[in-house]
Amino acid sequence: MKRYDYVIVGGGLFGGVMAWCAKKHQKSCLVIERRKTLGGNLYCEEIEGIPVHRYGAHIFHTSDRKVWDFVNSLAEFNRYTNCPVASYRGQMYNMPFNMNTFSKLWGVSTPEEAKRKIAEQRGAVKGRPANLEEQAISLMGRDIYERLIKGYTEKQWGRDCKELPAFIIKRLPVRYTYDNNYFNDRYQGIPVGGYNGLIGRLFEGCGVLTETDYLADKARFDGMAERIIYTGTIDAYFGYRYGKLEYRSLRFEDDIYDTDNYQGVAVVNHTDREVPYTRTIEHKHFDCTVPYNENPKTVVTREYPVAWEEGMEPYYPVNDERNQSLYEKYAKLAEQEKNVLFGGRLAEYKYYDMDKVIASAMEKAEKEFGGQILWREQEHSR
Ligand code: UDP
C-alpha cells in the first residue's frame, strides 16, 4: 500500500481540478509545487488591500456552461468585462479591433465604410495566410497591423511576425460593431477578492509540499503514490532528451501610486516597439463592484516579455513548427508512461485559456475516476 492515491505535480488549475475530483472520490492526494504558493499563475497577492494578479492578468471567460457552473460553485464571480485600451504613440485605441477603433483611426462611422477601408488595405495578401503578419493584414488591414499588432507581437514573442503561427492573432476578435468586450464568450468575470479562495477550494484536503522540486527527487515521490498527475513542462520530465522546447517568460514590475485612479482601465496594451513593456495592469479595476475611489492608492504592474531560460517561469509555449514537432516526440514518450497522467498548459505545450484547461481536466478526470461526475460543489455537500 502506497501512502497516497495520487501525487499531483504542480499546483495550478489542471492539478486543482484533478485534486478536487480525487477528493470527491475519496482518493488522497499529495501536491508537489515548486513555488511557495498554490494556484499556478492565478495566484493573487494582496497589496494595499487590492488583489494583485501576481503572474499576469487573469480574466475568466468561457462559453462552456459546465465549466462556468463549476467555477461558480467554488467562488463568487463579479461581472468584470475586459475592455483593454491600446496605447500607440500617445494615442489611445479601443480593443479588440472594432468600430470604435476604426472610427478613431479613419474617421469612419459605419460598418460598410470600415469594411471598405480594410478591403483596400488587405490587397497584398492572397490565399491562405502563411504566418501571423499575413493573417493580421488579411483580417484587419495594414494600418491596424502596423500600429496595434506588429510592435506588441514582436515584443511579446521576441521574433518577427512572419515567423509566428497565424492562429495566435485569431485569438482576438475583429468586430464591425461598437463593442469593446475583448472576448466573444458567453460568460466572463473574476472571483470577488481574487483567485485564492477558488484555489483553496480546489486543493482542500490535500497534502501539500511547496518549494519542492518533484524532478529532483522523482523516484522517492513516485514511490509515495499509486498514480502521478504531472503538470510541469514535458521536456523537463524527460530530462530534455530531445532538446529544449521554447517558452516565453514574463517579468513584472509593480508601482504603488498615491492616486485612486492611474490609468482609468484595468489593462492598457502598449503597442509601440520602443516602449519595453507590453501591458500595464491597474489591478483595482478588475473588481468593478468595489468603487475605485474608496482606496486612495493603486497598484500598477508593468509586464515585460523575456526569453525563457532554465530557472524562470515558463508562461507561453512557442507553438511554431520546430517546437511543435519536438513536442510531438515528447508526447510519444508520455504515452508510454502508463502510470502518469500529463495535462495542462506546460505538459501539453498548448496555449490554453483557463476554461480550456478546466475542460481538459474534466475530460481526463471523467476517464480517470469513471462514470458521471457531479461537477458542482453544492451537489456534494447536500
Ligand atoms: N496582440 C496584439 N496587440 C494587442 C494585443 C494582442 O498584437 O494589443 C496579439 C499578440 O500577438 C498576442 C496575441 O494577440 O500574443 C494574443 O493576445 P492575448 O491578449 O490573447 O494574449 P494573452 O492574454 O494570452 O497574453
Side-chain angles (χ1 to χ4, degrees), residues 43-107:
Y43 174 72
C44 294
E45 179 186 357
E46 195 169 305
I47 304 176
E48 299 292 347
I50 301 161
V52 168
H53 293 206
R54 194 57 293 163
Y55 300 98
H58 280 75
I59 299 123
F60 200 94
H61 56 96
T62 189
S63 292
D64 187 331
R65 182 64 192 265
K66 182 167 141 185
V67 169
W68 185 239
D69 284 347
F70 175 58
V71 294
N72 277 272
S73 82
L74 301 168
E76 185 191 351
F77 277 68
N78 68 23
R79 55 162 188 81
Y80 177 79
T81 300
N82 197 30
C83 297
V85 179
S87 161
Y88 178 77
R89 302 203 172 155
Q91 293 290 312
M92 306 304 276
Y93 298 90
N94 286 111
M95 293 289 289
F97 315 107
N98 71 78
M99 284 305 297
N100 291 304
T101 330
F102 308 147
S103 159
K104 167 111 187 195
L105 261 174
W106 303 312

Side-chain angles (χ1 to χ4, degrees), residues 95 148-149 152-153 157 169 171 182 269 279 316 351:
M95 293 289 289
L148 304 182
I149 297 175
Y152 184 101
T153 300
W157 295 97
I169 205 67
R171 289 170 57 82
Y182 201 60
N269 292 352
R279 286 194 272 226
Y316 298 92
Y351 191 174

Side-chain angles (χ1 to χ4, degrees), residues 11 62 65 90 92 118 151 248 261 273 279 357 375 382:
T62 189
R65 182 64 192 265
M92 306 304 276
I118 289 176
R248 290 296 284 172
N261 187 11
R273 194 71 188 82
R279 286 194 272 226
V357 172
W375 280 109
R382 263 190 224 128

Side-chain angles (χ1 to χ4, degrees), residues 57 85-86 95 97 132 148-154 156-157 164 168-172 182-183 250 269-271 278-279 303 316 345 351 353:
V85 179
M95 293 289 289
F97 315 107
L132 194 151
L148 304 182
I149 297 175
K150 189 171 167 31
Y152 184 101
T153 300
E154 293 184 355
Q156 163 74 9
W157 295 97
L164 286 163
I168 292 176
I169 205 67
K170 286 208 263 177
R171 289 170 57 82
L172 309 192
Y182 201 60
F183 303 113
L250 297 172
N269 292 352
H270 298 269
T271 61
T278 46
R279 286 194 272 226
E303 189 174 308
Y316 298 92
R345 192 184 258 225
Y351 191 174
D353 285 330

Side-chain angles (χ1 to χ4, degrees), residues 260-261 284-285 287 290-297:
D260 63 352
N261 187 11
K284 61 161 47 172
H285 295 302
D287 199 345
V290 177
Y292 63 82
N293 53 9
E294 278 182 2
N295 185 337
K297 292 195 179 211

